Amino acid sequence: MSMASRVFGRTGVPVSEIGFGAWAIGGTWGEVSEADAKAALHAALDAGVDFIDTADVYGDGRSERIIGEVIAARGGERPFVATKLGRRLDPHLAEGYTAQAMEGFVDRSLKNLGTDTLDLVQLHCPPTEVYYRPEVFGALDDLVSRGKIRRYGVSVEKVEEGLKAIEYDNVDSVQIIYNMFRQRPAELFLPEARRRHKAVIARVPLASGLLTGKMLPDTDFAPDDHRHFNRDGAAFDKGETFAGVPYDVALEAVEALRLLLPAEAVMAQVALRWILMQEAVTVVIPGAKTPEQANSNAAASGLPVLPEDLMAGVREIYETRIRPHVHHRW
């Protein structure tokens, strides 16, 4: 299986263009056994994936611990592991992003992942005010100078937050929702990130599974699955669930997308390849609960360039069906 790489911003480090999003193996995506989680991660790594994205709150550290155990068991060259901090704050306020608190979160992640230095730490969708506090980024600079983290970035909810974050010279990456149902980043943010040589991590690439084409109006989600309890933002920003698109509207758009694809096409792979058509994107991070899902995701790297008529069709579906629900929110 062929896996292409892209350079991670100004760092010069090559990473696989398909990564592994490790939220689902941590929690709030329904039950995933530890054995299945490890099998999915092993499959991704075997397929050439060498970029893993996680966070300290995914399963209250479960995701990080599973990743650390898998890496230790495999030995050899370590993949690039990105984690996040900040969402453990309660209440989650800008004032909580102190140097002491952030170092405590970093120390916990170091232990969970079984390493001496974190490859990348991202502020985990902090309050917008945090981006206007240079002292927060100064504290991260200090952690870099002391060797606890190699580099840092941010994970944002809004395009405007991403644009503000990349004004800081030492912010190496921005993680942002970008998919067929969330196209606004391509207008201004992605070109500016590329101009500034910032890495871009595209998250929620399949719109919480909608863009697999496998969901139905009566699809049942477990009570602990955020697709059951967060459609209106009850637990966190609703843009993280189904990309913020109303479920019935999204299902109709998926059927319109299906008509654009050859009969043998795997919709999820096309959705991932669509994101990779954007040169400013460094790595896309679909999740996987099984080895089969991990292998299918990785295979998207080998798809040919999408034809212009397909790209135009996706754009039209977004403009006519999706844009009114999401474009000016995020």
Side-chain angles (χ1 to χ4, degrees), residues 101-132:
M102 290 191 292
E103 183 168 7
F105 297 146
V106 165
D107 288 342
R108 185 175 185 271
S109 291
L110 286 168
K111 181 178 180 180
N112 285 341
L113 288 164
T115 186
D116 295 326
T117 307
L118 299 177
D119 295 324
L120 177 73
V121 167
Q122 304 157 93
L123 300 182
H124 196 173
C125 298
T128 301
E129 184 184 341
V130 167
Y131 300 101
Y132 294 85

mmCIF file of all heavy atoms in Angstrom, residues 101-132:
data_model
loop_
_atom_site.group_PDB
_atom_site.id
_atom_site.type_symbol
_atom_site.label_atom_id
_atom_site.label_comp_id
_atom_site.label_asym_id
_atom_site.label_seq_id
_atom_site.Cartn_x
_atom_site.Cartn_y
_atom_site.Cartn_z
ATOM 1 N N ALA A 101 -0.504 25.212 35.162
ATOM 2 C CA ALA A 101 -1.527 24.254 34.753
ATOM 3 C C ALA A 101 -1.105 23.515 33.491
ATOM 4 O O ALA A 101 -1.242 22.287 33.406
ATOM 5 C CB ALA A 101 -2.854 24.974 34.531
ATOM 6 N N MET A 102 -0.585 24.244 32.531
ATOM 7 C CA MET A 102 -0.201 23.600 31.277
ATOM 8 C C MET A 102 0.951 22.618 31.474
ATOM 9 O O MET A 102 0.969 21.541 30.872
ATOM 10 C CB MET A 102 0.141 24.652 30.221
ATOM 11 C CG MET A 102 -1.084 25.431 29.743
ATOM 12 S SD MET A 102 -0.776 26.446 28.274
ATOM 13 C CE MET A 102 0.332 27.683 28.943
ATOM 14 N N GLU A 103 1.897 22.972 32.325
ATOM 15 C CA GLU A 103 2.988 22.034 32.586
ATOM 16 C C GLU A 103 2.467 20.776 33.273
ATOM 17 O O GLU A 103 2.930 19.661 32.991
ATOM 18 C CB GLU A 103 4.071 22.692 33.443
ATOM 19 C CG GLU A 103 5.265 21.762 33.670
ATOM 20 C CD GLU A 103 6.470 22.468 34.261
ATOM 21 O OE1 GLU A 103 6.363 23.666 34.621
ATOM 22 O OE2 GLU A 103 7.535 21.820 34.355
ATOM 23 N N GLY A 104 1.489 20.931 34.141
ATOM 24 C CA GLY A 104 0.894 19.757 34.775
ATOM 25 C C GLY A 104 0.222 18.842 33.756
ATOM 26 O O GLY A 104 0.355 17.605 33.831
ATOM 27 N N PHE A 105 -0.476 19.421 32.801
ATOM 28 C CA PHE A 105 -1.100 18.616 31.752
ATOM 29 C C PHE A 105 -0.046 17.922 30.898
ATOM 30 O O PHE A 105 -0.200 16.753 30.517
ATOM 31 C CB PHE A 105 -1.986 19.501 30.868
ATOM 32 C CG PHE A 105 -3.144 20.129 31.588
ATOM 33 C CD1 PHE A 105 -3.584 21.406 31.234
ATOM 34 C CD2 PHE A 105 -3.803 19.475 32.620
ATOM 35 C CE1 PHE A 105 -4.654 22.000 31.882
ATOM 36 C CE2 PHE A 105 -4.882 20.059 33.279
ATOM 37 C CZ PHE A 105 -5.305 21.319 32.911
ATOM 38 N N VAL A 106 1.016 18.633 30.578
ATOM 39 C CA VAL A 106 2.106 18.041 29.786
ATOM 40 C C VAL A 106 2.729 16.872 30.528
ATOM 41 O O VAL A 106 2.975 15.797 29.956
ATOM 42 C CB VAL A 106 3.166 19.112 29.446
ATOM 43 C CG1 VAL A 106 4.467 18.464 28.968
ATOM 44 C CG2 VAL A 106 2.634 20.055 28.372
ATOM 45 N N ASP A 107 2.982 17.039 31.819
ATOM 46 C CA ASP A 107 3.589 15.951 32.607
ATOM 47 C C ASP A 107 2.696 14.712 32.602
ATOM 48 O O ASP A 107 3.187 13.577 32.520
ATOM 49 C CB ASP A 107 3.835 16.412 34.035
ATOM 50 C CG ASP A 107 4.986 17.403 34.151
ATOM 51 O OD1 ASP A 107 5.799 17.473 33.206
ATOM 52 O OD2 ASP A 107 5.069 18.111 35.188
ATOM 53 N N ARG A 108 1.410 14.920 32.698
ATOM 54 C CA ARG A 108 0.470 13.788 32.679
ATOM 55 C C ARG A 108 0.508 13.079 31.326
ATOM 56 O O ARG A 108 0.518 11.842 31.263
ATOM 57 C CB ARG A 108 -0.940 14.282 32.991
ATOM 58 C CG ARG A 108 -2.000 13.187 33.128
ATOM 59 C CD ARG A 108 -3.318 13.826 33.564
ATOM 60 N NE ARG A 108 -4.353 12.827 33.823
ATOM 61 C CZ ARG A 108 -5.194 12.365 32.899
ATOM 62 N NH1 ARG A 108 -5.116 12.800 31.648
ATOM 63 N NH2 ARG A 108 -6.124 11.477 33.226
ATOM 64 N N SER A 109 0.547 13.840 30.243
ATOM 65 C CA SER A 109 0.598 13.237 28.912
ATOM 66 C C SER A 109 1.924 12.510 28.679
ATOM 67 O O SER A 109 1.955 11.458 28.035
ATOM 68 C CB SER A 109 0.385 14.302 27.834
ATOM 69 O OG SER A 109 -0.949 14.778 27.854
ATOM 70 N N LEU A 110 3.015 13.068 29.177
ATOM 71 C CA LEU A 110 4.308 12.386 29.070
ATOM 72 C C LEU A 110 4.238 11.004 29.711
ATOM 73 O O LEU A 110 4.721 10.005 29.145
ATOM 74 C CB LEU A 110 5.405 13.221 29.748
ATOM 75 C CG LEU A 110 5.869 14.479 29.010
ATOM 76 C CD1 LEU A 110 6.729 15.339 29.933
ATOM 77 C CD2 LEU A 110 6.665 14.101 27.757
ATOM 78 N N LYS A 111 3.622 10.934 30.879
ATOM 79 C CA LYS A 111 3.492 9.648 31.580
ATOM 80 C C LYS A 111 2.584 8.704 30.804
ATOM 81 O O LYS A 111 2.909 7.519 30.622
ATOM 82 C CB LYS A 111 2.953 9.885 32.985
ATOM 83 C CG LYS A 111 2.805 8.605 33.802
ATOM 84 C CD LYS A 111 2.315 8.911 35.211
ATOM 85 C CE LYS A 111 2.162 7.626 36.023
ATOM 86 N NZ LYS A 111 1.673 7.908 37.408
ATOM 87 N N ASN A 112 1.424 9.210 30.354
ATOM 88 C CA ASN A 112 0.487 8.354 29.621
ATOM 89 C C ASN A 112 1.104 7.777 28.357
ATOM 90 O O ASN A 112 0.880 6.601 28.012
ATOM 91 C CB ASN A 112 -0.770 9.151 29.243
ATOM 92 C CG ASN A 112 -1.700 9.404 30.409
ATOM 93 O OD1 ASN A 112 -1.629 8.720 31.437
ATOM 94 N ND2 ASN A 112 -2.573 10.387 30.262
ATOM 95 N N LEU A 113 1.863 8.602 27.643
ATOM 96 C CA LEU A 113 2.435 8.179 26.363
ATOM 97 C C LEU A 113 3.768 7.466 26.519
ATOM 98 O O LEU A 113 4.297 6.926 25.535
ATOM 99 C CB LEU A 113 2.603 9.398 25.448
ATOM 100 C CG LEU A 113 1.285 9.965 24.887
ATOM 101 C CD1 LEU A 113 1.490 11.375 24.340
ATOM 102 C CD2 LEU A 113 0.723 9.043 23.808
ATOM 103 N N GLY A 114 4.316 7.456 27.725
ATOM 104 C CA GLY A 114 5.563 6.739 27.967
ATOM 105 C C GLY A 114 6.742 7.320 27.220
ATOM 106 O O GLY A 114 7.543 6.593 26.629
ATOM 107 N N THR A 115 6.873 8.631 27.255
ATOM 108 C CA THR A 115 7.963 9.284 26.534
ATOM 109 C C THR A 115 8.535 10.417 27.369
ATOM 110 O O THR A 115 7.923 10.858 28.349
ATOM 111 C CB THR A 115 7.467 9.821 25.170
ATOM 112 O OG1 THR A 115 8.562 10.329 24.420
ATOM 113 C CG2 THR A 115 6.418 10.916 25.355
ATOM 114 N N ASP A 116 9.720 10.896 26.977
ATOM 115 C CA ASP A 116 10.370 11.986 27.704
ATOM 116 C C ASP A 116 10.054 13.355 27.111
ATOM 117 O O ASP A 116 10.224 14.379 27.778
ATOM 118 C CB ASP A 116 11.891 11.788 27.706
ATOM 119 C CG ASP A 116 12.301 10.537 28.467
ATOM 120 O OD1 ASP A 116 11.643 10.198 29.464
ATOM 121 O OD2 ASP A 116 13.290 9.883 28.046
ATOM 122 N N THR A 117 9.628 13.368 25.859
ATOM 123 C CA THR A 117 9.329 14.621 25.166
ATOM 124 C C THR A 117 8.120 14.412 24.271
ATOM 125 O O THR A 117 8.027 13.397 23.575
ATOM 126 C CB THR A 117 10.522 15.081 24.300
ATOM 127 O OG1 THR A 117 11.701 15.141 25.092
ATOM 128 C CG2 THR A 117 10.264 16.454 23.707
ATOM 129 N N LEU A 118 7.205 15.368 24.272
ATOM 130 C CA LEU A 118 6.030 15.287 23.413
ATOM 131 C C LEU A 118 6.358 15.907 22.051
ATOM 132 O O LEU A 118 6.905 17.005 21.971
ATOM 133 C CB LEU A 118 4.852 16.022 24.045
ATOM 134 C CG LEU A 118 4.388 15.482 25.403
ATOM 135 C CD1 LEU A 118 3.260 16.356 25.954
ATOM 136 C CD2 LEU A 118 3.923 14.034 25.287
ATOM 137 N N ASP A 119 6.014 15.202 20.973
ATOM 138 C CA ASP A 119 6.303 15.697 19.626
ATOM 139 C C ASP A 119 5.575 17.004 19.331
ATOM 140 O O ASP A 119 6.133 17.930 18.742
ATOM 141 C CB ASP A 119 5.885 14.659 18.578
ATOM 142 C CG ASP A 119 6.698 13.384 18.652
ATOM 143 O OD1 ASP A 119 7.908 13.471 18.952
ATOM 144 O OD2 ASP A 119 6.137 12.308 18.401
ATOM 145 N N LEU A 120 4.303 17.053 19.705
ATOM 146 C CA LEU A 120 3.488 18.242 19.450
ATOM 147 C C LEU A 120 2.410 18.331 20.510
ATOM 148 O O LEU A 120 1.683 17.365 20.752
ATOM 149 C CB LEU A 120 2.825 18.163 18.066
ATOM 150 C CG LEU A 120 1.888 19.326 17.705
ATOM 151 C CD1 LEU A 120 2.698 20.591 17.411
ATOM 152 C CD2 LEU A 120 1.011 18.982 16.502
ATOM 153 N N VAL A 121 2.287 19.494 21.127
ATOM 154 C CA VAL A 121 1.196 19.775 22.061
ATOM 155 C C VAL A 121 0.333 20.868 21.434
ATOM 156 O O VAL A 121 0.851 21.886 20.957
ATOM 157 C CB VAL A 121 1.728 20.237 23.422
ATOM 158 C CG1 VAL A 121 0.605 20.825 24.269
ATOM 159 C CG2 VAL A 121 2.358 19.068 24.158
ATOM 160 N N GLN A 122 -0.977 20.650 21.443
ATOM 161 C CA GLN A 122 -1.905 21.623 20.883
ATOM 162 C C GLN A 122 -2.849 22.135 21.966
ATOM 163 O O GLN A 122 -3.364 21.348 22.762
ATOM 164 C CB GLN A 122 -2.737 20.959 19.776
ATOM 165 C CG GLN A 122 -1.910 20.336 18.660
ATOM 166 C CD GLN A 122 -2.693 19.256 17.924
ATOM 167 O OE1 GLN A 122 -3.339 19.538 16.922
ATOM 168 N NE2 GLN A 122 -2.651 18.030 18.423
ATOM 169 N N LEU A 123 -3.066 23.430 22.003
ATOM 170 C CA LEU A 123 -4.118 23.969 22.845
ATOM 171 C C LEU A 123 -5.433 23.435 22.292
ATOM 172 O O LEU A 123 -5.703 23.539 21.098
ATOM 173 C CB LEU A 123 -4.101 25.491 22.824
ATOM 174 C CG LEU A 123 -2.817 26.169 23.308
ATOM 175 C CD1 LEU A 123 -2.982 27.686 23.267
ATOM 176 C CD2 LEU A 123 -2.430 25.713 24.713
ATOM 177 N N HIS A 124 -6.261 22.861 23.169
ATOM 178 C CA HIS A 124 -7.417 22.081 22.731
ATOM 179 C C HIS A 124 -8.673 22.950 22.681
ATOM 180 O O HIS A 124 -9.447 23.007 23.629
ATOM 181 C CB HIS A 124 -7.622 20.892 23.669
ATOM 182 C CG HIS A 124 -8.512 19.837 23.122
ATOM 183 N ND1 HIS A 124 -8.711 18.622 23.765
ATOM 184 C CD2 HIS A 124 -9.257 19.772 21.991
ATOM 185 C CE1 HIS A 124 -9.544 17.882 23.055
ATOM 186 N NE2 HIS A 124 -9.897 18.568 21.978
ATOM 187 N N CYS A 125 -8.861 23.632 21.566
ATOM 188 C CA CYS A 125 -10.038 24.486 21.367
ATOM 189 C C CYS A 125 -10.283 25.367 22.589
ATOM 190 O O CYS A 125 -11.350 25.303 23.218
ATOM 191 C CB CYS A 125 -11.262 23.641 21.043
ATOM 192 S SG CYS A 125 -11.099 22.684 19.520
ATOM 193 N N PRO A 126 -9.296 26.207 22.922
ATOM 194 C CA PRO A 126 -9.454 27.067 24.097
ATOM 195 C C PRO A 126 -10.437 28.191 23.815
ATOM 196 O O PRO A 126 -10.808 28.448 22.666
ATOM 197 C CB PRO A 126 -8.041 27.616 24.297
ATOM 198 C CG PRO A 126 -7.479 27.672 22.914
ATOM 199 C CD PRO A 126 -8.017 26.438 22.227
ATOM 200 N N PRO A 127 -10.863 28.897 24.857
ATOM 201 C CA PRO A 127 -11.682 30.088 24.642
ATOM 202 C C PRO A 127 -10.960 31.067 23.721
ATOM 203 O O PRO A 127 -9.727 31.179 23.765
ATOM 204 C CB PRO A 127 -11.844 30.662 26.053
ATOM 205 C CG PRO A 127 -11.652 29.482 26.968
ATOM 206 C CD PRO A 127 -10.624 28.624 26.288
ATOM 207 N N THR A 128 -11.701 31.782 22.912
ATOM 208 C CA THR A 128 -11.105 32.685 21.930
ATOM 209 C C THR A 128 -10.122 33.661 22.568
ATOM 210 O O THR A 128 -9.088 34.012 21.978
ATOM 211 C CB THR A 128 -12.211 33.457 21.192
ATOM 212 O OG1 THR A 128 -13.082 32.517 20.544
ATOM 213 C CG2 THR A 128 -11.619 34.382 20.131
ATOM 214 N N GLU A 129 -10.412 34.086 23.782
ATOM 215 C CA GLU A 129 -9.543 35.057 24.460
ATOM 216 C C GLU A 129 -8.118 34.564 24.602
ATOM 217 O O GLU A 129 -7.169 35.373 24.635
ATOM 218 C CB GLU A 129 -10.123 35.387 25.844
ATOM 219 C CG GLU A 129 -9.343 36.456 26.592
ATOM 220 C CD GLU A 129 -9.871 36.692 27.991
ATOM 221 O OE1 GLU A 129 -11.034 36.316 28.269
ATOM 222 O OE2 GLU A 129 -9.128 37.257 28.813
ATOM 223 N N VAL A 130 -7.915 33.258 24.673
ATOM 224 C CA VAL A 130 -6.570 32.707 24.861
ATOM 225 C C VAL A 130 -5.639 33.125 23.715
ATOM 226 O O VAL A 130 -4.444 33.368 23.920
ATOM 227 C CB VAL A 130 -6.631 31.170 24.983
ATOM 228 C CG1 VAL A 130 -5.240 30.543 24.857
ATOM 229 C CG2 VAL A 130 -7.264 30.778 26.317
ATOM 230 N N TYR A 131 -6.172 33.228 22.525
ATOM 231 C CA TYR A 131 -5.348 33.593 21.367
ATOM 232 C C TYR A 131 -4.845 35.032 21.455
ATOM 233 O O TYR A 131 -3.951 35.422 20.699
ATOM 234 C CB TYR A 131 -6.140 33.391 20.071
ATOM 235 C CG TYR A 131 -6.588 31.959 19.880
ATOM 236 C CD1 TYR A 131 -7.904 31.579 20.164
ATOM 237 C CD2 TYR A 131 -5.702 30.981 19.460
ATOM 238 C CE1 TYR A 131 -8.318 30.265 20.013
ATOM 239 C CE2 TYR A 131 -6.104 29.663 19.300
ATOM 240 C CZ TYR A 131 -7.415 29.311 19.583
ATOM 241 O OH TYR A 131 -7.821 28.004 19.439
ATOM 242 N N TYR A 132 -5.402 35.799 22.353
ATOM 243 C CA TYR A 132 -4.986 37.185 22.544
ATOM 244 C C TYR A 132 -4.153 37.347 23.813
ATOM 245 O O TYR A 132 -3.981 38.470 24.307
ATOM 246 C CB TYR A 132 -6.223 38.092 22.584
ATOM 247 C CG TYR A 132 -6.936 38.130 21.257
ATOM 248 C CD1 TYR A 132 -7.877 37.158 20.933
ATOM 249 C CD2 TYR A 132 -6.642 39.111 20.315
ATOM 250 C CE1 TYR A 132 -8.524 37.165 19.698
ATOM 251 C CE2 TYR A 132 -7.276 39.135 19.077
ATOM 252 C CZ TYR A 132 -8.215 38.149 18.772
ATOM 253 O OH TYR A 132 -8.831 38.159 17.540
#
